[in-house]
Amino acid sequence: MNSERTDDRPPAADDIVTVADVREADERLDEVVHRTPLDRSTTFAERSGAASVGLKLENMQRTGSFKSRGAYNTMAQLPPAERERGVIASSAGNHAQGVAFAGGLLDIDTTIVVPEVTPSSKIEATRGYGADVVVEGDIYERSYEHALSLADEKDLTFVHPFDDEAIIAGQGTVGLELLEQYPELDTVLVSIGGGGLISGIATVLKAHDPDIRVVGVQPEGAFHAKPSLERDEIHELPDVDTVAEGIADTRLLEKTFAVVRERVDDVVSVTDREMSVAVTLLAERAKTVAETAGAAPLAALCSGAVDVADEHVAVVVSGGNVNLAEHAELTRTGRMELGRYAEANLSVADWPSGLETLTDTVDSHGAELEELERTRRTNADEPNRTPVKIGVTGSGPEQLSSVLMALDHRNGIAVVSDSLDG
């Protein structure tokens, strides 16, 4: 890595990471991580108006995200004494697995501190790689502070999830692969949490061609990078509010801010609902499972947050660590946003014989009854009617509206409320 600065000036990007650092990391990672595929998508190109769209599928990376690149690159360079004592990290889940994975390969004991919002699937996967997991803190910042405290107390080396030269260089190997796989690249969309991934990718792409546009994507509920760039100083959020726990950071830090400021062209925001739509579209069109943080760049593409008309666009799908129940909920929300799924509360007479009328009506309109649940009766329900909740899948809002209208006109069935009308 680059030599230490000897004055008090703010760090420049080249003081932190260069393409040479990334290439050294690439050699170090040879045969350790996967060279993940770039999947060309006509569907997303047509949807966005781009000349072409390539999905960089880091959700197919070892441990399910790009994080194993930076973690291994960092830990492989630790001196023997630090390896012997062990390392500690804080993470919302993906860095945790990356550090645990690297520790297993390098025979280094690992301890990971995760916030309470971390999905159980990520915690169990981290333990599966051999790490000790400590759950502490309501958000990532609290976990980070606790991990630093434990590092001092137990004399462990702290492996930062993003604000570290070796971490950034390791993540930058994604950029090297992009140049090989997508030489006509005009724009790349990358999620930003703490900024390590986009810092590494931007370092490579800007050195190759300064005209390649690098755009960061954050959730509305954790949108700190754009204000930092506008103010030319690190802006810290007091709290975060997003379903994308993998990028639910409150701020950039010194190193990532320095690189992002010099090498990232813009940062845009997306909503949780837009990310749910992107998760759904990735499952349907690309046949790939992504977590919300990994789907954020596609959400920016599909929502029109970035103008990519006639451009060749890479979308970095940075992770796919999501449990099946959570993925089902995300895709349900996504289908609802796309107008292909509706829920309705019904009042049904002649229970349960009235179910035949209900199911026949849905079937006759070419829709699918995905969910049916008898709900608890309230004082508002008539004693001779049964309250029922249904979920119906269809081709679009017009078909679903016609199904619900038909149900409302059937003898013995009344639609009390539905999600199409709010």
Side-chain angles (χ1 to χ4, degrees):
M1 287 294 151
N2 298 288
S3 60
E4 297 273 341
R5 290 177 288 117
T6 58
D7 54 38
D8 294 328
R9 63 186 173 88
D14 278 343
D15 293 330
I16 296 162
V17 63
T18 65
V19 175
D21 297 324
V22 179
R23 294 196 181 282
E24 289 177 8
D26 193 48
E27 293 178 4
R28 204 169 283 119
L29 292 169
D30 186 37
E31 298 186 1
V32 173
V33 300
H34 298 318
R35 185 178 185 273
T36 54
L38 184 93
D39 182 22
R40 304 288 184 118
S41 173
T42 303
T43 296
F44 295 133
E46 292 175 349
R47 190 181 183 97
S48 63
S52 68
V53 171
L55 305 174
K56 180 59 173 167
L57 298 178
E58 279 296 291
N59 57 326
M60 299 179 67
Q61 184 56 261
R62 297 184 74 171
T63 74
S65 89
F66 70 95
K67 289 287 191 176
S68 54
R69 296 175 184 263
Y72 186 90
N73 186 53
T74 301
M75 293 165 64
Q77 299 180 73
L78 293 178
E82 291 187 31
R83 291 193 187 199
E84 181 66 25
R85 290 194 298 268
V87 304
I88 189 168
S90 55
S91 169
N94 287 340
H95 179 60
Q97 292 178 65
V99 170
F101 162 76
L105 293 181
L106 297 166
D107 195 25
I108 300 172
D109 289 339
T110 57
T111 300
I112 313 294
V113 183
V114 301
E116 296 162 2
V117 297
T118 305
S120 59
S121 59
K122 291 186 178 182
I123 292 175
E124 290 309 309
T126 302
R127 288 181 174 141
Y129 286 115
D132 292 328
V133 178
V134 177
V135 180
E136 180 71 32
D138 56 342
I139 62 173
Y140 169 74
E141 287 298 320
R142 306 293 89 79
S143 302
Y144 171 68
E145 292 163 1
H146 187 67
L148 290 178
S149 176
L150 288 178
D152 287 341
E153 178 185 330
K154 299 185 177 183
D155 196 21
L156 303 174
T157 297
F158 182 73
V159 181
H160 202 285
F162 57 86
D163 203 51
D164 179 272
E165 296 92 334
I167 290 286
I168 294 171
Q171 321 304 28
T173 58
V174 175
L176 293 177
E177 292 177 16
L178 278 174
L179 291 179
E180 295 172 4
Q181 296 168 318
Y182 206 0
E184 67 270 44
L185 178 64
D186 295 312
T187 294
V188 62
L189 305 178
V190 188
S191 296
I192 296 182
L197 176 62
I198 198 169
S199 293
I201 290 175
T203 295
V204 171
L205 298 186
K206 289 298 185 179
H208 176 77
D209 181 355
D211 290 333
I212 294 177
R213 186 167 53 141
V214 181
V215 180
V217 183
Q218 292 192 297
E220 281 189 352
F223 192 52
H224 58 76
K226 179 82 166 186
S228 296
L229 295 177
E230 291 173 339
R231 301 173 188 187
D232 199 30
E233 63 180 11
I234 295 172
H235 172 66
E236 182 174 4
L237 299 173
D239 204 351
V240 292
D241 182 13
T242 177
V243 69
E245 84 286 336
I247 48 175
D249 297 86
T250 61
R251 59 180 171 169
L252 301 170
L253 289 177
E254 181 184 48
K255 295 181 178 67
T256 53
F257 175 62
V259 179
V260 168
R261 178 174 53 188
E262 289 187 31
R263 296 172 178 166
V264 172
D265 296 284
D266 197 8
V267 182
V268 299
S269 67
V270 292
T271 67
D272 282 1
R273 290 185 179 276
E274 287 167 343
M275 286 186 285
S276 296
V277 168
V279 168
T280 303
L281 292 173
L282 283 166
E284 287 184 343
R285 301 298 183 178
K287 310 304 179 188
T288 193
V289 174
E291 59 192 278
T292 44
L298 184 66
L301 182 82
C302 293
S303 67
V306 183
D307 181 5
V308 295
D310 300 321
E311 293 187 4
H312 300 285
V313 184
V315 173
V316 180
V317 182
S318 55
N321 287 313
V322 57
N323 63 43
L324 292 178
E326 183 183 355
H327 190 260
E329 289 299 320
L330 289 169
T331 55
R332 180 177 298 175
T333 299
R335 286 183 293 133
M336 194 174 293
E337 288 295 303
L338 291 164
R340 301 207 300 266
Y341 179 83
E343 294 179 341
N345 293 304
L346 310 180
S347 176
V348 181
D350 301 322
W351 180 269
S353 59
L355 288 179
E356 184 176 355
T357 301
L358 193 163
T359 56
D360 286 349
T361 301
V362 174
D363 288 342
S364 67
H365 282 74
E368 179 183 349
L369 185 63
E370 185 173 315
E371 180 182 357
L372 188 150
E373 176 188 2
R374 180 176 177 174
T375 59
R376 184 181 296 276
R377 188 184 300 278
T378 69
N379 290 335
D381 296 309
E382 295 294 332
N384 63 340
R385 296 289 188 272
T386 300
V388 175
K389 179 181 179 181
I390 62 170
V392 184
T393 298
S395 60
E398 289 185 5
Q399 183 189 32
L400 294 175
S401 181
S402 69
V403 171
L404 297 182
M405 186 179 297
L407 285 171
D408 203 36
H409 285 81
R410 289 289 186 267
N411 289 332
I413 300 177
V415 177
V416 178
S417 63
D418 66 79
S419 60
L420 293 178
D421 292 333

